[in-house]
Amino acid sequence: MDKSKIKKVVLAYSGGLDTSIIIPWLKENYNNCEVIAVSGDVGQGTELDGLEEKAIKTGASKLYIEDLKKEFVEEFIFPTMQAGAVYEGEYLLGTSFARPVIAKRIAEIALAEGADAICHGCTGKGNDQVRFELTIKAFAPNMQIIAPWREWDIKSRDEEIDYAEAHNIPLKINRETNYSKDKNLWHLSHEGMDLEDPANEPLYNKPGFLELGVSPEQAPDTPTYVTIHFEKGVPTMLNGEKVGSVELIEKLNELGGANGIGLVDLVENRLVGMKSRGVYETPGGTILYRAHKVLETITLDRDTQHYKELVASKFSELVYYGQWYTPLREALTAFVDKTQENVTGDVKLKLYKGNVINAGVTSPCSLYDPEIATFDEDEVYDQNDSAGFINLFGLPVKVYAAMKAKNNK
């Protein structure tokens, strides 16, 4: 990259430790280039407070704050939930599917501003660098990309703090509470410090550690019931009231957080090959995934339900690996959309001390037939039919056993 040709840079800006120091670093190392900061609002809440003043003071020419919450929920969260995609069986992909929606808007702004490059604060060890850059390649394929963590001499978060202090950049963290966190409408992640050793139990009851809820031990002794209505796999009502997509997740976060729901302590396999330990808070998402899965148990036929589990595994990898804008992800979404045509109904759940317990499910498209399933006498299922079915289904087993007996195996 010819640094002399970089006159205007669009920076993915969160106001956190990394991007706070990147603005002055860019100006120092790229010929005092113009830096335009862009923050995608995917539900960070108060983290966006004072961001414009901070960005300007540290050298940005302006700051875009783009409200992406509705797009995030309806075009990324819901399709992933409908797919049943959970990375490595536990991670509900909170950071993973937030990156493409942010990076897409950054690429659009960079093109509109006539920028020479896009800059992000992702480390060279993480997954986010891939998620950002694959999305940028999808929307601005010829755009130069600057990744300071792959260039600068800074080696640790402590050295980042040193740099910030030397440049009088205000930070919302200190060395004692220096967890690496990512927060959005869907989740909050915690990494680093004592969590880097998987032998250490997360300090859930430590003041200030959990932000979206409480630990199961601190949850109420009385359960909370919640009913979610779905239309074709999309949640539309909560406890009998119609709610918007963003508000639905906000309310489920409140209910789930208050009952200690959605805490995951996970050692995951990063795309770059290493293992990483993180603690995730996903209260509303945990409830929503469970409700959707319960509804599918009575609305999907057996073969579709089983095959969809295979699709879910691949879908989760695509999201985790930053491959949202790919033909395969679009094709899998088309499959999932077809499966959701009859996923309509109501799911009642009981929230109690970290547990999400089934409390009833109904659907006008239910495939569950009490007359067939009953253990009592019925007139719709002839149990004698099963003998012929078993003889045919078991024929390969019988033939194989005869072969072994014949050859004394």
Side-chain angles (χ1 to χ4, degrees):
M1 182 187 301
D2 186 349
K3 290 186 177 182
S4 65
K5 294 183 179 180
I6 303 299
K7 307 296 184 183
K8 183 186 292 187
V9 178
V10 169
L11 169 66
Y13 184 71
S14 68
L17 177 57
D18 295 327
T19 57
S20 291
I21 68 172
I22 283 175
I23 295 176
W25 181 87
L26 281 171
K27 297 184 81 67
E28 287 176 359
N29 290 272
Y30 282 82
N31 303 305
N32 198 33
C33 62
E34 179 184 359
V35 179
I36 298 171
V38 179
S39 294
D41 181 1
V42 286
Q44 302 95 311
T46 57
E47 289 184 8
L48 297 171
D49 293 348
L51 216 55
E52 182 172 12
E53 180 183 2
K54 181 177 179 180
I56 301 301
K57 277 189 174 181
T58 50
S61 62
K62 58 182 167 181
L63 170 70
Y64 287 88
I65 297 181
E66 301 293 292
D67 187 351
L68 304 174
K69 294 190 290 295
K70 193 171 188 294
E71 181 182 356
F72 177 41
V73 174
E74 297 178 2
E75 297 186 24
F76 294 82
I77 291 178
F78 285 172
T80 305
M81 175 208 67
Q82 289 174 316
V86 182
Y87 185 68
E88 298 188 335
E90 291 193 87
Y91 176 42
L92 295 183
L93 298 164
T95 299
S96 307
F97 51 32
R99 295 315 188 220
V101 68
I102 295 171
K104 172 176 175 283
R105 187 65 187 123
I106 289 169
E108 291 168 345
I109 290 173
L111 291 173
E113 287 279 356
D116 303 302
I118 291 174
C119 179
H120 64 73
C122 308
T123 73
K125 289 185 176 182
N127 304 301
D128 281 344
Q129 59 182 335
V130 183
R131 296 164 184 158
F132 267 105
E133 294 185 30
L134 290 193
T135 301
I136 292 167
K137 290 179 187 299
F139 290 93
N142 298 316
M143 186 70 64
Q144 295 280 353
I145 297 173
I146 300 172
W149 272 103
R150 302 202 289 256
E151 293 186 32
W152 61 23
D153 296 327
I154 296 172
K155 303 299 182 185
S156 68
R157 287 176 67 80
D158 270 345
E159 289 185 14
E160 285 187 287
I161 294 175
D162 291 339
Y163 185 96
E165 291 175 347
H167 289 74
N168 298 313
I169 299 170
L171 300 174
K172 293 182 179 180
I173 63 170
N174 57 51
R175 295 179 196 273
E176 288 70 41
T177 61
N178 191 17
Y179 287 110
S180 176
K181 297 188 178 187
D182 177 72
K183 183 180 182 182
N184 59 45
L185 183 66
W186 188 246
H187 90 154
L188 174 65
S189 65
H190 309 257
E191 293 179 321
M193 295 182 64
D194 57 301
L195 297 178
E196 290 190 345
D197 185 349
N200 293 331
E201 180 182 4
L203 302 175
Y204 292 132
N205 293 323
K206 179 182 178 181
F209 182 74
L210 296 181
E211 296 182 29
L212 300 185
V214 300
S215 68
E217 297 93 333
Q218 294 175 318
D221 294 329
T222 304
T224 298
Y225 286 87
V226 59
T227 300
I228 303 172
H229 177 75
F230 291 83
E231 289 285 339
K232 296 185 176 181
V234 176
T236 59
M237 299 178 70
L238 180 62
N239 294 330
E241 295 184 5
K242 191 172 182 63
V243 291
S245 56
V246 174
E247 183 184 5
L248 173 77
I249 293 177
E250 290 173 339
K251 289 188 173 183
L252 287 176
N253 278 338
E254 292 176 9
L255 294 170
N259 286 279
I261 305 296
L263 298 179
V264 171
D265 176 6
L266 173 65
V267 175
E268 68 199 56
N269 289 294
R270 284 184 175 175
L271 172 58
V272 295
M274 71 181 69
K275 291 184 181 290
S276 173
R277 196 269 188 99
V279 170
Y280 300 99
E281 301 179 58
T282 321
T286 300
I287 298 168
L288 205 54
Y289 260 73
R290 172 64 67 83
H292 182 263
K293 186 174 182 178
V294 169
L295 184 56
E296 284 191 329
T297 64
I298 66 169
T299 55
L300 295 187
D301 64 278
R302 180 194 64 197
D303 289 348
T304 300
Q305 186 175 341
H306 288 183
Y307 194 81
K308 189 169 176 287
E309 291 174 1
L310 302 177
V311 170
S313 177
K314 185 60 181 178
F315 199 106
S316 72
E317 285 188 348
L318 292 173
V319 176
Y320 190 85
Y321 296 165
Q323 295 173 299
W324 186 270
Y325 295 105
T326 60
L328 178 55
R329 198 282 305 166
E330 292 174 358
L332 294 185
T333 293
F335 166 80
V336 171
D337 287 344
K338 180 65 178 178
T339 70
Q340 299 302 290
E341 289 179 353
N342 293 320
V343 184
T344 294
D346 293 278
V347 182
K348 186 178 182 181
L349 299 170
K350 178 165 67 173
L351 314 179
Y352 183 67
K353 291 190 176 296
N355 297 288
V356 183
I357 304 166
N358 299 352
V361 56
T362 61
S363 170
C365 305
S366 177
L367 300 176
Y368 182 88
D369 189 335
E371 284 195 72
I372 294 177
T374 183
F375 283 95
D376 295 330
E377 182 179 355
D378 69 83
E379 298 180 356
V380 296
Y381 185 94
D382 187 345
Q383 298 196 28
N384 291 323
D385 290 344
S386 63
F389 162 72
I390 294 170
N391 285 336
L392 293 177
F393 190 65
L395 183 59
V397 178
K398 185 176 179 179
V399 170
Y400 184 67
M403 180 275 295
K404 289 201 299 181
K406 180 180 178 181
N407 291 286
N408 296 316
K409 289 185 177 180

